[in-house]
Amino acid sequence: MAKNLYDVLGVSKGASAMEIKSQYRKLARKYHPDLNKEDKTAAEKFKEISAAYDILGDKDKRQKYDNNEIDAEGKPTGFGASGFGGGGFNPGGGYHTYSTNGFNGAGFDFSSLFGEDIFSQFSNGGGNGFAGAGYGGRRAQKGQDIAYALDVDFLDVAKGVEKNIIMNGRQLNVKIPAGTTSGQVLRLKGQGYAGVNGGANGDALITVNVRPHPYFRAEGTNVFIDLPISMKEAVLGAKVIVPTISGKVNLTIPAYSSSGEKLRLKGKGIKTKNGTGDEIVNLVIMSPKAKNPDLENVLKDTVEEQLRTF
């Protein structure tokens, strides 16, 4: 009994073109010989599903197949059927032949199974079938790159960190240098999909997304922080404890400091191979929330300075 191409791809006769395309991609990945070197049946299965898609993936051929004008091999079922030999009929002119000599998987370019339009890889002149010359003779091609998004805490990125991720079924160690910025892409050479015909492996492209910190922010290698201080600390000066990316340190606030003044903690920023940044402390004077009559009386007796020039 002749095989049913819809059964070969595992779709219903009423499946849409997109459903057929999606199922074919799935099966092509599963049975491609380069991914199943130990399974001798994978090559035959791959040829079978590819030949099925050659017909069902083409609107005109699929209609002819549904109308019994061509069979599962693409041969006309009516007048002139014997005149085409073993080749598949190509409505666009000419014909192509499906190889039956075994398939070693070495020459076929399947890199686009994991990215761009897979179907262009099967093109051979007027049709989408496999070339009569078999699968050999294709040039070496680099494997596809793999993209991955990695969320990392601000402090980890500020000091540098290593993260283990699972990509393409493998565990990879990703070294994130200190000072990496959000949106920056790290490239891991040769950690993408396998190349074809001896071509180099693709790369893994890791996009780093830095989670915001509650009070730190970075500009280059410098780290910035807003430091709330009381009116008393601002007027009289004080010694306070300030957090840095490497721990807490003591900071002296000069007397009569104003909001917006910046104090520099030398060498307390991000350390990279090009140098170490500083931590910039931005003073923010906070008025007391609770009512304080004594403070109010003192301020009333204070001589007002001319602060505004506009």
Side-chain angles (χ1 to χ4, degrees), residues 247-302:
K248 295 180 179 180
V249 299
N250 291 317
L251 174 68
T252 299
I253 300 174
Y256 293 96
S257 292
S258 300
S259 278
E261 289 186 3
K262 293 175 172 54
L263 306 178
R264 184 181 298 269
L265 293 172
K266 193 72 175 177
K268 293 300 181 180
I270 298 171
K271 184 177 181 179
T272 70
K273 62 182 180 181
N274 297 321
T276 303
D278 304 328
E279 177 166 309
I280 310 300
V281 180
N282 179 54
L283 300 181
V284 181
I285 300 175
M286 307 295 291
S287 296
K289 298 299 182 184
K291 187 176 178 64
N292 189 330
D294 291 336
L295 177 60
E296 292 176 12
N297 290 331
V298 170
L299 293 176
K300 287 177 182 177
D301 294 335
T302 300

Short mmCIF file of all heavy atoms in Angstrom, two decimals, residues 247-302:
data_model
loop_
_atom_site.label_atom_id
_atom_site.label_comp_id
_atom_site.label_asym_id
_atom_site.label_seq_id
_atom_site.Cartn_x
_atom_site.Cartn_y
_atom_site.Cartn_z
N GLY A 247 31.94 46.77 50.45
CA GLY A 247 31.73 46.81 51.90
C GLY A 247 31.51 48.22 52.40
O GLY A 247 31.56 49.19 51.64
N LYS A 248 31.26 48.33 53.71
CA LYS A 248 30.97 49.64 54.30
C LYS A 248 32.25 50.35 54.73
O LYS A 248 33.21 49.71 55.16
CB LYS A 248 30.03 49.47 55.50
CG LYS A 248 28.66 48.93 55.11
CD LYS A 248 27.77 48.78 56.33
CE LYS A 248 26.38 48.27 55.92
NZ LYS A 248 25.47 48.11 57.08
N VAL A 249 32.24 51.68 54.60
CA VAL A 249 33.40 52.50 54.99
C VAL A 249 32.91 53.73 55.74
O VAL A 249 31.73 54.10 55.68
CB VAL A 249 34.23 52.94 53.76
CG1 VAL A 249 34.77 51.73 53.02
CG2 VAL A 249 33.38 53.81 52.83
N ASN A 250 33.82 54.37 56.45
CA ASN A 250 33.51 55.62 57.15
C ASN A 250 33.71 56.82 56.21
O ASN A 250 34.66 56.84 55.42
CB ASN A 250 34.40 55.79 58.38
CG ASN A 250 34.06 54.77 59.47
OD1 ASN A 250 32.90 54.53 59.75
ND2 ASN A 250 35.09 54.20 60.09
N LEU A 251 32.83 57.78 56.33
CA LEU A 251 32.90 58.98 55.51
C LEU A 251 32.70 60.21 56.39
O LEU A 251 31.78 60.25 57.22
CB LEU A 251 31.82 58.95 54.42
CG LEU A 251 31.69 60.22 53.56
CD1 LEU A 251 32.93 60.40 52.69
CD2 LEU A 251 30.43 60.15 52.69
N THR A 252 33.54 61.20 56.22
CA THR A 252 33.41 62.45 56.97
C THR A 252 32.64 63.46 56.14
O THR A 252 33.03 63.78 55.01
CB THR A 252 34.80 63.03 57.32
OG1 THR A 252 35.50 62.10 58.14
CG2 THR A 252 34.65 64.36 58.06
N ILE A 253 31.56 63.98 56.74
CA ILE A 253 30.76 65.01 56.08
C ILE A 253 31.21 66.36 56.63
O ILE A 253 31.13 66.61 57.84
CB ILE A 253 29.25 64.80 56.35
CG1 ILE A 253 28.81 63.44 55.81
CG2 ILE A 253 28.44 65.93 55.71
CD1 ILE A 253 27.39 63.10 56.17
N PRO A 254 31.70 67.23 55.77
CA PRO A 254 32.16 68.54 56.26
C PRO A 254 31.00 69.37 56.82
O PRO A 254 29.85 69.22 56.40
CB PRO A 254 32.72 69.20 55.00
CG PRO A 254 32.97 68.07 54.04
CD PRO A 254 31.92 67.05 54.34
N ALA A 255 31.30 70.21 57.80
CA ALA A 255 30.28 71.11 58.34
C ALA A 255 29.79 72.06 57.24
O ALA A 255 30.52 72.40 56.31
CB ALA A 255 30.86 71.90 59.51
N TYR A 256 28.56 72.43 57.36
CA TYR A 256 27.91 73.35 56.44
C TYR A 256 27.90 72.80 55.00
O TYR A 256 28.16 73.52 54.05
CB TYR A 256 28.56 74.75 56.49
CG TYR A 256 28.33 75.43 57.81
CD1 TYR A 256 29.30 75.37 58.80
CD2 TYR A 256 27.14 76.12 58.07
CE1 TYR A 256 29.09 75.98 60.04
CE2 TYR A 256 26.93 76.73 59.30
CZ TYR A 256 27.90 76.66 60.27
OH TYR A 256 27.69 77.25 61.49
N SER A 257 27.57 71.52 54.91
CA SER A 257 27.40 70.90 53.59
C SER A 257 26.02 71.20 53.06
O SER A 257 25.07 71.47 53.82
CB SER A 257 27.60 69.39 53.69
OG SER A 257 28.95 69.06 53.99
N SER A 258 25.88 71.17 51.75
CA SER A 258 24.60 71.44 51.10
C SER A 258 24.16 70.22 50.29
O SER A 258 24.99 69.39 49.88
CB SER A 258 24.71 72.65 50.17
OG SER A 258 25.09 73.81 50.89
N SER A 259 22.86 70.13 50.06
CA SER A 259 22.34 69.09 49.17
C SER A 259 22.95 69.25 47.78
O SER A 259 23.10 70.37 47.29
CB SER A 259 20.82 69.17 49.07
OG SER A 259 20.20 68.54 50.15
N GLY A 260 23.28 68.13 47.19
CA GLY A 260 23.85 68.17 45.85
C GLY A 260 25.36 68.17 45.83
O GLY A 260 25.97 67.93 44.77
N GLU A 261 25.99 68.48 46.98
CA GLU A 261 27.45 68.40 47.04
C GLU A 261 27.87 66.93 46.95
O GLU A 261 27.19 66.04 47.48
CB GLU A 261 27.98 69.04 48.32
CG GLU A 261 27.86 70.56 48.33
CD GLU A 261 28.54 71.18 49.55
OE1 GLU A 261 29.13 70.42 50.34
OE2 GLU A 261 28.46 72.40 49.70
N LYS A 262 29.01 66.71 46.32
CA LYS A 262 29.46 65.34 46.08
C LYS A 262 30.81 65.11 46.75
O LYS A 262 31.72 65.93 46.64
CB LYS A 262 29.55 65.06 44.58
CG LYS A 262 28.19 65.06 43.90
CD LYS A 262 28.31 64.90 42.40
CE LYS A 262 26.94 64.71 41.76
NZ LYS A 262 25.99 65.77 42.10
N LEU A 263 30.90 63.98 47.43
CA LEU A 263 32.13 63.55 48.08
C LEU A 263 32.64 62.32 47.35
O LEU A 263 31.86 61.46 46.92
CB LEU A 263 31.89 63.25 49.56
CG LEU A 263 31.23 64.37 50.37
CD1 LEU A 263 31.01 63.93 51.81
CD2 LEU A 263 32.09 65.65 50.32
N ARG A 264 33.94 62.21 47.22
CA ARG A 264 34.55 61.13 46.43
C ARG A 264 35.27 60.13 47.34
O ARG A 264 36.11 60.51 48.16
CB ARG A 264 35.52 61.71 45.41
CG ARG A 264 36.14 60.67 44.47
CD ARG A 264 37.11 61.35 43.50
NE ARG A 264 36.41 62.32 42.67
CZ ARG A 264 35.88 62.03 41.49
NH1 ARG A 264 35.95 60.79 41.00
NH2 ARG A 264 35.27 62.98 40.78
N LEU A 265 34.94 58.86 47.16
CA LEU A 265 35.65 57.78 47.84
C LEU A 265 36.58 57.16 46.80
O LEU A 265 36.16 56.38 45.94
CB LEU A 265 34.67 56.74 48.40
CG LEU A 265 33.78 57.23 49.55
CD1 LEU A 265 32.73 56.18 49.88
CD2 LEU A 265 34.62 57.57 50.77
N LYS A 266 37.85 57.50 46.90
CA LYS A 266 38.82 57.09 45.89
C LYS A 266 39.00 55.57 45.86
O LYS A 266 39.16 54.91 46.89
CB LYS A 266 40.17 57.76 46.19
CG LYS A 266 41.18 57.68 45.06
CD LYS A 266 40.80 58.58 43.91
CE LYS A 266 41.89 58.58 42.84
NZ LYS A 266 41.51 59.40 41.67
N GLY A 267 38.93 55.01 44.63
CA GLY A 267 39.20 53.59 44.44
C GLY A 267 38.10 52.66 44.91
O GLY A 267 38.30 51.44 44.99
N LYS A 268 36.93 53.20 45.23
CA LYS A 268 35.83 52.37 45.71
C LYS A 268 34.80 52.09 44.62
O LYS A 268 33.68 51.67 44.91
CB LYS A 268 35.14 53.04 46.91
CG LYS A 268 36.02 53.12 48.15
CD LYS A 268 36.44 51.73 48.62
CE LYS A 268 37.30 51.79 49.88
NZ LYS A 268 37.70 50.44 50.33
N GLY A 269 35.19 52.32 43.38
CA GLY A 269 34.30 52.03 42.26
C GLY A 269 34.56 50.65 41.68
O GLY A 269 34.99 49.72 42.37
N ILE A 270 34.33 50.52 40.38
CA ILE A 270 34.47 49.24 39.68
C ILE A 270 35.91 49.08 39.20
O ILE A 270 36.47 49.98 38.58
CB ILE A 270 33.50 49.18 38.50
CG1 ILE A 270 32.05 49.26 39.01
CG2 ILE A 270 33.70 47.91 37.68
CD1 ILE A 270 31.02 49.42 37.92
N LYS A 271 36.47 47.91 39.47
CA LYS A 271 37.84 47.62 39.08
C LYS A 271 37.85 46.82 37.78
O LYS A 271 37.26 45.74 37.70
CB LYS A 271 38.56 46.83 40.18
CG LYS A 271 40.02 46.56 39.88
CD LYS A 271 40.69 45.83 41.04
CE LYS A 271 42.16 45.58 40.76
NZ LYS A 271 42.83 44.88 41.89
N THR A 272 38.50 47.35 36.76
CA THR A 272 38.64 46.66 35.48
C THR A 272 40.11 46.60 35.11
O THR A 272 40.96 47.17 35.80
CB THR A 272 37.85 47.39 34.37
OG1 THR A 272 38.49 48.63 34.06
CG2 THR A 272 36.41 47.66 34.77
N LYS A 273 40.41 45.95 33.99
CA LYS A 273 41.80 45.86 33.54
C LYS A 273 42.35 47.22 33.13
O LYS A 273 43.57 47.41 33.04
CB LYS A 273 41.91 44.89 32.37
CG LYS A 273 41.11 45.30 31.14
CD LYS A 273 41.23 44.26 30.05
CE LYS A 273 40.43 44.66 28.81
NZ LYS A 273 40.52 43.64 27.73
N ASN A 274 41.47 48.18 32.90
CA ASN A 274 41.91 49.52 32.50
C ASN A 274 42.00 50.50 33.67
O ASN A 274 42.31 51.68 33.47
CB ASN A 274 40.97 50.08 31.44
CG ASN A 274 40.98 49.26 30.16
OD1 ASN A 274 42.03 48.79 29.74
ND2 ASN A 274 39.81 49.07 29.56
N GLY A 275 41.71 50.02 34.87
CA GLY A 275 41.78 50.89 36.03
C GLY A 275 40.59 50.71 36.96
O GLY A 275 39.68 49.91 36.69
N THR A 276 40.61 51.46 38.05
CA THR A 276 39.56 51.36 39.07
C THR A 276 38.87 52.71 39.23
O THR A 276 39.53 53.75 39.33
CB THR A 276 40.14 50.92 40.42
OG1 THR A 276 40.82 49.67 40.26
CG2 THR A 276 39.03 50.74 41.45
N GLY A 277 37.56 52.68 39.26
CA GLY A 277 36.80 53.91 39.42
C GLY A 277 36.62 54.29 40.88
O GLY A 277 37.14 53.64 41.79
N ASP A 278 35.88 55.35 41.12
CA ASP A 278 35.61 55.86 42.47
C ASP A 278 34.13 55.72 42.79
O ASP A 278 33.30 55.48 41.91
CB ASP A 278 36.01 57.34 42.57
CG ASP A 278 37.47 57.57 42.18
OD1 ASP A 278 38.30 56.67 42.43
OD2 ASP A 278 37.75 58.64 41.60
N GLU A 279 33.82 55.89 44.06
CA GLU A 279 32.41 56.00 44.44
C GLU A 279 32.12 57.48 44.71
O GLU A 279 32.86 58.14 45.46
CB GLU A 279 32.08 55.17 45.68
CG GLU A 279 30.63 55.35 46.12
CD GLU A 279 30.17 54.30 47.12
OE1 GLU A 279 30.37 53.10 46.83
OE2 GLU A 279 29.63 54.68 48.17
N ILE A 280 31.08 57.97 44.07
CA ILE A 280 30.69 59.37 44.21
C ILE A 280 29.45 59.42 45.10
O ILE A 280 28.41 58.85 44.77
CB ILE A 280 30.39 60.01 42.84
CG1 ILE A 280 31.53 59.73 41.85
CG2 ILE A 280 30.13 61.50 43.02
CD1 ILE A 280 32.88 60.26 42.28
N VAL A 281 29.59 60.13 46.23
CA VAL A 281 28.50 60.22 47.21
C VAL A 281 27.82 61.57 47.06
O VAL A 281 28.44 62.63 47.26
CB VAL A 281 29.04 60.05 48.65
CG1 VAL A 281 27.88 60.14 49.65
CG2 VAL A 281 29.78 58.73 48.78
N ASN A 282 26.55 61.53 46.70
CA ASN A 282 25.76 62.74 46.52
C ASN A 282 24.96 63.02 47.79
O ASN A 282 24.13 62.20 48.21
CB ASN A 282 24.81 62.57 45.33
CG ASN A 282 23.95 63.79 45.10
OD1 ASN A 282 24.46 64.91 44.96
ND2 ASN A 282 22.63 63.59 45.09
N LEU A 283 25.22 64.15 48.43
CA LEU A 283 24.55 64.48 49.69
C LEU A 283 23.13 64.97 49.45
O LEU A 283 22.89 65.82 48.57
CB LEU A 283 25.35 65.55 50.45
CG LEU A 283 26.79 65.18 50.83
CD1 LEU A 283 27.44 66.32 51.59
CD2 LEU A 283 26.83 63.88 51.63
N VAL A 284 22.20 64.46 50.24
CA VAL A 284 20.80 64.88 50.15
C VAL A 284 20.32 65.20 51.56
O VAL A 284 20.15 64.31 52.40
CB VAL A 284 19.91 63.76 49.54
CG1 VAL A 284 18.47 64.24 49.45
CG2 VAL A 284 20.45 63.35 48.18
N ILE A 285 20.13 66.50 51.86
CA ILE A 285 19.69 66.91 53.20
C ILE A 285 18.20 66.63 53.36
O ILE A 285 17.39 67.02 52.51
CB ILE A 285 19.99 68.40 53.43
CG1 ILE A 285 21.49 68.67 53.32
CG2 ILE A 285 19.47 68.86 54.79
CD1 ILE A 285 21.87 70.13 53.42
N MET A 286 17.86 65.95 54.43
CA MET A 286 16.47 65.57 54.70
C MET A 286 15.97 66.34 55.92
O MET A 286 16.59 66.31 57.00
CB MET A 286 16.37 64.08 54.96
CG MET A 286 16.99 63.21 53.87
SD MET A 286 16.14 63.34 52.29
CE MET A 286 14.60 62.53 52.69
N SER A 287 14.86 67.05 55.79
CA SER A 287 14.24 67.71 56.94
C SER A 287 13.60 66.66 57.84
O SER A 287 13.14 65.61 57.37
CB SER A 287 13.18 68.71 56.47
OG SER A 287 13.77 69.74 55.71
N PRO A 288 13.52 66.91 59.14
CA PRO A 288 12.88 65.94 60.04
C PRO A 288 11.39 65.82 59.73
O PRO A 288 10.75 66.79 59.33
CB PRO A 288 13.12 66.53 61.44
CG PRO A 288 13.38 67.99 61.20
CD PRO A 288 14.04 68.08 59.86
N LYS A 289 10.87 64.63 59.91
CA LYS A 289 9.46 64.40 59.64
C LYS A 289 8.59 64.82 60.82
O LYS A 289 7.45 65.25 60.66
CB LYS A 289 9.22 62.92 59.32
CG LYS A 289 9.96 62.44 58.07
CD LYS A 289 9.50 63.18 56.84
CE LYS A 289 10.20 62.66 55.59
NZ LYS A 289 9.83 63.43 54.38
N ALA A 290 9.14 64.65 62.02
CA ALA A 290 8.37 65.01 63.22
C ALA A 290 8.54 66.50 63.53
O ALA A 290 9.60 67.09 63.28
CB ALA A 290 8.84 64.17 64.41
N LYS A 291 7.49 67.09 64.08
CA LYS A 291 7.52 68.52 64.44
C LYS A 291 8.54 68.73 65.55
O LYS A 291 8.57 67.99 66.54
CB LYS A 291 6.13 68.96 64.88
CG LYS A 291 6.00 70.46 65.11
CD LYS A 291 4.55 70.80 65.45
CE LYS A 291 4.41 72.29 65.73
NZ LYS A 291 4.71 73.12 64.54
N ASN A 292 9.40 69.76 65.40
CA ASN A 292 10.47 70.03 66.37
C ASN A 292 10.49 71.53 66.69
O ASN A 292 11.11 72.33 65.99
CB ASN A 292 11.81 69.60 65.79
CG ASN A 292 12.93 69.65 66.80
OD1 ASN A 292 12.93 70.46 67.71
ND2 ASN A 292 13.93 68.79 66.60
N PRO A 293 9.78 71.93 67.77
CA PRO A 293 9.70 73.36 68.13
C PRO A 293 11.06 74.00 68.40
O PRO A 293 11.30 75.16 68.04
CB PRO A 293 8.84 73.37 69.40
CG PRO A 293 8.03 72.10 69.30
CD PRO A 293 8.95 71.11 68.66
N ASP A 294 11.97 73.24 69.04
CA ASP A 294 13.29 73.80 69.35
C ASP A 294 14.04 74.15 68.06
O ASP A 294 14.69 75.21 67.97
CB ASP A 294 14.12 72.81 70.17
CG ASP A 294 13.56 72.63 71.58
OD1 ASP A 294 12.86 73.55 72.06
OD2 ASP A 294 13.81 71.57 72.18
N LEU A 295 13.96 73.23 67.09
CA LEU A 295 14.63 73.49 65.81
C LEU A 295 14.01 74.69 65.11
O LEU A 295 14.71 75.54 64.55
CB LEU A 295 14.54 72.24 64.90
CG LEU A 295 15.13 72.39 63.50
CD1 LEU A 295 16.62 72.72 63.58
CD2 LEU A 295 14.89 71.13 62.68
N GLU A 296 12.70 74.80 65.23
CA GLU A 296 12.01 75.92 64.60
C GLU A 296 12.45 77.25 65.22
O GLU A 296 12.68 78.24 64.51
CB GLU A 296 10.50 75.74 64.74
CG GLU A 296 9.96 74.56 63.94
CD GLU A 296 8.46 74.37 64.17
OE1 GLU A 296 7.83 75.27 64.77
OE2 GLU A 296 7.95 73.30 63.79
N ASN A 297 12.59 77.28 66.54
CA ASN A 297 13.01 78.51 67.21
C ASN A 297 14.44 78.89 66.84
O ASN A 297 14.76 80.07 66.64
CB ASN A 297 12.91 78.33 68.73
CG ASN A 297 11.46 78.25 69.19
OD1 ASN A 297 10.57 78.84 68.55
ND2 ASN A 297 11.22 77.55 70.29
N VAL A 298 15.31 77.87 66.74
CA VAL A 298 16.69 78.16 66.36
C VAL A 298 16.75 78.75 64.96
O VAL A 298 17.47 79.72 64.70
CB VAL A 298 17.55 76.88 66.44
CG1 VAL A 298 18.91 77.12 65.81
CG2 VAL A 298 17.72 76.45 67.89
N LEU A 299 15.99 78.17 64.07
CA LEU A 299 16.00 78.64 62.70
C LEU A 299 15.41 80.04 62.57
O LEU A 299 15.86 80.85 61.74
CB LEU A 299 15.23 77.66 61.80
CG LEU A 299 15.88 76.28 61.63
CD1 LEU A 299 14.99 75.36 60.80
CD2 LEU A 299 17.25 76.42 60.96
N LYS A 300 14.42 80.34 63.44
CA LYS A 300 13.83 81.67 63.40
C LYS A 300 14.84 82.74 63.80
O LYS A 300 14.82 83.87 63.31
CB LYS A 300 12.62 81.73 64.33
CG LYS A 300 11.40 80.99 63.80
CD LYS A 300 10.25 81.03 64.80
CE LYS A 300 9.06 80.24 64.31
NZ LYS A 300 7.95 80.23 65.32
N ASP A 301 15.74 82.37 64.72
CA ASP A 301 16.73 83.32 65.20
C ASP A 301 17.97 83.36 64.32
O ASP A 301 18.88 84.18 64.55
CB ASP A 301 17.16 82.95 66.64
CG ASP A 301 16.01 83.10 67.62
OD1 ASP A 301 15.09 83.90 67.32
OD2 ASP A 301 16.03 82.42 68.66
N THR A 302 18.03 82.47 63.34
CA THR A 302 19.19 82.42 62.47
C THR A 302 19.11 83.53 61.42
O THR A 302 18.06 83.78 60.83
CB THR A 302 19.28 81.07 61.75
OG1 THR A 302 19.38 80.04 62.73
CG2 THR A 302 20.49 81.01 60.83
#
